[in-house]
Amino acid sequence: MNPQLERLEGHLERLRLFHSKERLSGILEEAAKKDLAYTDFLEELLSQEVAAKTDKNIQMRTTMARLPYVKTLETFDFGFQPSLDARQIRELAGGRYIDAVENIILVGPPGVGKTHLAVALGMKAIQQGHRVLFLSATGLIGTLAKAHAENRLEEKLKLYCQPRLLIVDELGYIPVDRHGANLFFQLVCRRYEKGSLILTSNQRFGDWGEIFGDAIIATALLDRLLHHSLTINIKGESYRLKEKKRAGLLAKVTAQETDEKALKA
Ligand code: ADP
Ligand code: MG
């Protein structure tokens, strides 16, 4: 190999410009062929390195976010959920709520797309360069309780304060005992005015006393959560049911055909 090329590759490796290192000989050849100006050559090389690094970062943050699945706003059918303001959700996707440290609370019955929207907003936040973490409410409270029992609560609370956006999914499906409520309250207080939360729940705020088995702690929680926040109520049909109904309809038709066949036989 040309010793100069070898040295250049060594420099790029040392600078951790791995993409440029991989492509150096090819891009040099191309530049010579196209007779590129120095500035154009440098721009080409650096812009590709930046794109590769950005991509890698997004991939890494996506893995760290532990999203349950990959869903985007682009695949969300707003036509099916007319109670939602598509423009409002798209504006949220711009991420200003994260800079303003506001919370988003998605409330609605099962299957209306709360988790889908929370994941989609999480993915946008990742693309905007933020650290995101997705947890189920039950998982989160269980982990905090375990950490508390092992004298590691402080460590866990700190860990859950690191992501700029914390998504807590499905609050309300399973009741939380007083100790769990207290631990969750501590986390919400820690993140208060420091980092955004997206919370999804099938229960209206009025029923939160029942989730936590304690109206006082529920009120204190809501006080912190709602202070800088936006609540989105989704009133509509379950998307899961819609799909099931369609399947059910098909099943009925098949049953009818079978009956007809049986009659003829
Ligand atoms: P929830 O969290 O409100 O119970 P999910 O977000 O889990 O509901 O939605 C259930 C399923 O239906 C998911 O697979 C989700 O992607 C899909 N879904 C829900 N609403 C829509 C929608 N309006 N457009 C496209 N897919 C949807
Ligand atoms: Mg859900």
Side-chain angles (χ1 to χ4, degrees):
M1 201 207 276
N2 167 345
Q4 190 179 31
L5 190 63
E6 217 167 302
R7 283 200 303 278
L8 284 173
E9 287 186 357
H11 292 326
L12 290 171
E13 166 113 31
R14 182 79 204 284
L15 292 169
R16 306 178 65 80
L17 302 176
F18 303 117
H19 187 77
S20 304
K21 187 195 158 199
E22 285 303 308
R23 299 191 58 257
L24 185 65
S25 58
I27 204 173
L28 278 170
E29 248 171 56
E30 220 177 286
K33 233 189 270 164
K34 290 197 211 153
D35 204 13
L36 283 190
Y38 298 131
T39 45
D40 289 338
F41 166 75
L42 199 59
E43 180 170 8
E44 175 76 13
L45 187 76
L46 292 183
S47 63
Q48 290 200 19
E49 182 71 50
V50 167
K53 282 212 183 305
T54 309
D55 245 34
K56 206 170 157 220
N57 268 331
I58 288 178
Q59 272 178 29
M60 203 177 67
R61 278 198 302 274
T62 306
T63 311
M64 280 170 63
R66 294 197 242 148
L67 300 171
Y69 48 60
V70 171
K71 293 265 162 113
T72 60
L73 276 192
E74 288 70 32
T75 63
F76 193 84
D77 177 7
F78 284 97
F80 181 75
Q81 218 53 270
S83 70
L84 271 174
D85 179 354
R87 229 182 39 196
Q88 182 189 38
I89 304 289
R90 293 207 179 97
E91 191 177 319
L92 286 176
R96 259 198 314 167
Y97 71 99
I98 297 178
D99 298 321
V101 199
E102 285 165 1
N103 301 326
I104 301 176
I105 304 170
L106 297 162
V107 184
V112 293
K114 301 182 296 296
T115 305
H116 184 138
L117 287 174
V119 167
L121 288 173
M123 287 185 61
K124 291 282 180 202
I126 289 170
Q127 282 155 17
Q128 285 148 13
H130 298 299
R131 270 185 63 182
V132 175
L133 181 63
F134 182 106
L135 297 166
S136 75
T138 319
L140 164 67
I141 292 167
T143 309
L144 289 178
K146 186 163 175 276
H148 180 261
E150 292 167 356
N151 250 326
R152 290 187 300 107
L153 180 63
E154 185 57 31
E155 189 187 306
K156 270 283 176 243
L157 287 173
K158 271 198 188 129
L159 189 75
Y160 289 157
C161 284
Q162 279 171 5
R164 278 298 292 279
L165 173 63
L166 183 71
I167 303 174
V168 180
D169 194 36
E170 295 204 332
L171 189 70
Y173 282 97
I174 295 170
V176 179
D177 64 16
R178 193 164 291 205
H179 182 53
N182 187 289
L183 295 170
F184 185 55
F185 178 69
Q186 286 190 51
L187 177 65
V188 169
C189 287
R190 285 282 186 108
R191 287 189 63 93
Y192 178 65
E193 295 185 338
K194 289 205 191 78
S196 294
L197 261 171
I198 295 183
L199 206 98
T200 80
S201 179
N202 61 329
Q203 306 276 353
R204 291 168 309 144
F205 296 140
D207 298 331
W208 277 32
E210 276 162 46
I211 307 176
F212 295 106
D214 183 332
I216 294 172
I217 201 146
T219 309
L221 241 171
L222 282 168
D223 184 60
R224 304 296 193 288
L225 279 175
L226 299 181
H227 185 194
H228 310 287
S229 74
L230 176 71
T231 302
I232 298 172
N233 277 300
I234 314 178
K235 303 180 199 82
E237 253 201 90
S238 161
Y239 198 85
R240 286 193 201 102
L241 270 186
K242 177 195 100 158
E243 290 180 333
K244 274 220 182 99
K245 269 186 196 157
R246 207 195 285 147
L249 202 67
L250 281 175
K252 257 183 219 157
V253 173
T254 329
Q256 205 177 340
E257 279 171 0
T258 320
D259 285 352
E260 280 165 11
K261 269 186 204 152
L263 276 177
K264 276 185 199 153

